[in-house]
């Protein structure tokens, strides 16, 4: 990762190391998948009532079930694809809901002239 950060810096790209407790979306999450699936067992998921674009596929969700969420833990995040899909649909204003404005600069780098508003910033 440090080597990749150096390559990015050499290209003039900004990077930001995230302070996270686990290597989410990697093979290191494999040991918890079965238990996570069990924790979701019995929960009924409804179809989205408003359009929701998946960062697993980069396309709109049609069916959400426990399998989707288990898969989401392990699969690569297609954040740029999801943001691009939404932008191509005509969205130009984004709101980041979370404890910090981590994704705001990523949206700004993905969509020209995007208006991005974080609700919280450390």
């Amino acid at each position: 990762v440090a080597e990749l950060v150096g390559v990015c810096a050499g290209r003039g790209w900004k990077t930001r190391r995230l302070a996270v407790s686990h290597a989410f979306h990697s093979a290191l999450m494999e040991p918890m998948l079965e238990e996570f699936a069990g924790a979701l067992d019995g929960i009924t998921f409804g179809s989205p009532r408003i359009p929701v674009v998946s960062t697993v596929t980069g396309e709109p969700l049609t069916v959400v079930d426990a399998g989707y969420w288990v898969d989401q833990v392990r699969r690569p995040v297609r954040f740029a694809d999801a943001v691009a899909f939404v932008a191509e649909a005509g969205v130009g204003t984004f709101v980041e809901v979370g404890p910090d404005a981590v994704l705001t600069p990523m949206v700004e780098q993905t969509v020209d002239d995007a208006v991005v508003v974080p609700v919280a910033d450390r």
Side-chain angles (χ1 to χ4, degrees), residues 14-19 79 94-109 116-122:
K14 292 181 181 179
T15 62
R16 180 175 178 183
R17 187 175 184 131
L18 301 178
F79 181 78
F94 297 79
V95 177
E96 179 175 357
V97 179
D100 195 5
V102 174
L103 301 176
T104 293
M106 293 184 217
V107 174
E108 292 170 339
Q109 292 173 0
V116 189
V117 181
V119 297
D121 193 357
R122 283 184 207 201

Side-chain angles (χ1 to χ4, degrees), residues 29-41 70:
M29 298 305 295
E30 293 284 339
M32 62 79 68
L33 294 179
E34 186 176 334
E35 183 178 348
F36 183 53
L40 297 175
D41 192 35
V70 171

Side-chain angles (χ1 to χ4, degrees), residues 55-82:
T55 58
V56 172
T57 65
E59 299 179 354
L61 283 171
T62 53
V63 176
V64 180
D65 57 15
Y68 171 82
W69 291 111
V70 171
D71 197 36
Q72 194 269 352
V73 169
R74 179 60 183 88
R75 299 262 313 266
V77 178
R78 295 182 57 186
F79 181 78
D81 292 337

